[in-house]
Amino acid sequence: MKHSLADRAARHVVRTLVRLPAPVKRGLAGRPTVVDGQTLDVNTQVGLSLMRLARWSDFASMPIEKARAQLSAEAWIFGDELPIESVEDITVPAAHLDLPARIYRPAGLTAPAGGLVHFHGGGWTLGDLSAADAVSRWLAHHAGIVVISVHYRLAPENPFPAALDDALGAYTHVATHAEEYGLDPARIGVSGESAGGNLAAVIAQETARAARGGPSPTTTTTPSPSPTPTPALQVLFQPATDLSTKRASYRLFGEGFTMTEADMDLYRRSYLGDHGSATDPRISPLLADDLSGVAPAYISTAGFDVLRDEGEVYARRLELAGVPVTLLRTPSLAHSAINVPGICPPARDALLAAAESIRSALASGTDD
């Protein structure tokens, strides 16, 4: 992929700034940003100032194609290409089409390995494989697993249930063809960030429902003769879990940070389209009646995020249903900063904590 001179210059500036001594960065950032008793990471504060100087607009204020191009540019400018043994572009069959995917394998794996099927963020409207590249590399390397990152159809051209059909189809294919990917079928999890975390949560619910003898893990109500295996683990980074309600974190962080309330309003309209309902648990998994039997969950939230509260409420609902849950809030982290671990220490720490739990759950058998 070719990058513009402006993008290359911005990447250089970003990496120069993060290497500056802490007092210098604080001087550039200005007074600390403190909201709800939390202090924003100084690197993120500098990054937001840089974006304002560059006159980068909020995604909600620009045409969709321009927003998609900007997100891809940001993924490269701020991202981290952690070296890994192999990265291969593939396709994964799902929902009668082949989805672009990328498989990450760290060194030293012994087949069959544990694995994650991962879905990028972007409000079901933006994003691609490049948006999830840094997270995929870090999880594969530090958790010692295979990560299969999958791109799904985007709204508004393809509103609900297109992304969910794609995500379910991709996970189902990997889970039922584990040997083709060198994976242990008993050690395959599902993960995602933001909108991707929403899709991962719904996959965990729908497969559990099918295992209980309920409807098939599809958007139909036809019972499945051979249910899709439930994930061994669900890893949700800053997930969107309830599109029907705006909690207090919207009021606290709805403007001035890495994802605005206006951005989420755009994503909600785009994903719902003309026929989706925000109260449908396949869109708002927090609203599901029965959460029993879903995969153990690792939920990572960010302090400066409009989605913070709904992610944490979802963790509590899972706990009440008897699901093993690990919830970790990184107070100084902003939404989507999980994708820039190389330049944001809180993002690095959040990913390393997640990788430790993933390694424990998936990288080796339960008897190890």
Side-chain angles (χ1 to χ4, degrees), residues 5 78 86 128 182 191 208 233 237 254 284 312 314 322 337:
L5 179 61
F78 295 100
S86 71
D128 54 21
S191 63
L233 179 71
F237 294 104
S284 297
E312 295 177 1
Y314 189 56

Side-chain angles (χ1 to χ4, degrees), residues 30-350:
R31 297 177 61 181
T33 299
V34 181
V35 181
D36 200 27
Q38 306 168 134
T39 301
L40 183 65
D41 167 56
V42 66
N43 298 283
T44 302
Q45 194 175 342
V46 170
L48 288 169
S49 298
L50 181 66
M51 293 168 72
R52 284 191 289 269
L53 285 172
R55 297 184 178 179
W56 288 3
S57 303
D58 291 341
F59 293 127
S61 65
M62 63 181 72
I64 290 293
E65 288 306 320
K66 183 177 179 182
R68 288 171 180 166
Q70 180 169 306
L71 181 62
S72 294
E74 289 179 11
W76 182 74
I77 290 168
F78 295 100
D80 182 33
E81 296 177 357
L82 179 73
I84 196 166
E85 180 74 7
S86 71
V87 179
E88 180 186 2
D89 286 333
I90 61 172
T91 59
V92 173
H96 309 294
L97 74 164
D98 291 335
L99 300 173
R102 190 169 292 167
I103 185 165
Y104 299 79
R105 296 183 187 275
L109 282 185
T110 301
L116 275 179
V117 180
H118 183 77
F119 303 100
H120 63 77
W124 309 274
T125 305
L126 316 177
D128 54 21
L129 296 177
S130 66
D133 185 69
V135 168
S136 299
R137 289 171 180 270
W138 274 68
L139 294 182
H141 175 77
H142 290 287
I145 58 167
V146 174
V147 173
I148 301 175
S149 177
V150 180
H151 179 54
Y152 45 88
R153 287 174 291 169
L154 299 177
E157 301 93 329
N158 301 284
F160 175 84
L164 177 57
D165 284 345
D166 291 355
L168 275 166
Y171 168 75
T172 297
H173 175 78
V174 173
T176 55
H177 295 78
E179 67 285 350
E180 296 179 16
Y181 299 95
L183 300 178
D184 179 349
R187 292 189 280 128
I188 299 176
V190 64
S191 63
E193 183 250 334
S194 194
N198 170 280
L199 297 174
V202 176
I203 288 171
Q205 287 190 14
E206 293 293 275
T207 54
R209 182 180 298 116
R212 295 194 301 265
S216 167
T218 67
T219 56
T220 73
T221 56
T222 304
S224 173
S226 54
T228 300
T230 57
L233 179 71
Q234 55 175 318
V235 182
L236 314 180
F237 294 104
Q238 303 157 19
T241 65
D242 186 2
L243 271 63
S244 71
T245 302
K246 294 181 179 180
R247 291 173 171 78
S249 51
Y250 269 85
R251 173 179 53 81
L252 293 169
F253 312 111
E255 294 184 9
F257 299 103
T258 49
M259 184 172 70
T260 66
E261 180 178 4
D263 289 336
M264 273 304 300
D265 288 343
L266 167 67
Y267 301 152
R268 184 184 295 105
R269 290 194 305 270
S270 298
Y271 189 46
L272 293 181
D274 294 330
H275 305 292
S277 169
T279 59
D280 186 332
R282 297 168 302 167
I283 291 172
S284 297
L286 178 59
L287 304 183
D289 291 332
D290 188 357
L291 293 175
S292 62
V294 306
Y298 185 96
I299 300 179
S300 178
T301 62
F304 288 78
D305 182 8
V306 295
L307 301 182
R308 183 192 71 182
D309 292 355
E310 64 194 72
E312 295 177 1
V313 172
Y314 189 56
R316 292 193 287 273
R317 276 219 60 207
L318 289 171
E319 286 180 326
L320 289 173
V323 177
V325 178
T326 299
L327 170 64
L328 177 66
R329 179 200 292 187
T330 305
S332 60
L333 196 63
H335 186 82
S336 78
I338 198 78
N339 296 295
V340 295
I343 62 173
C344 180
R348 176 196 62 213
D349 294 344

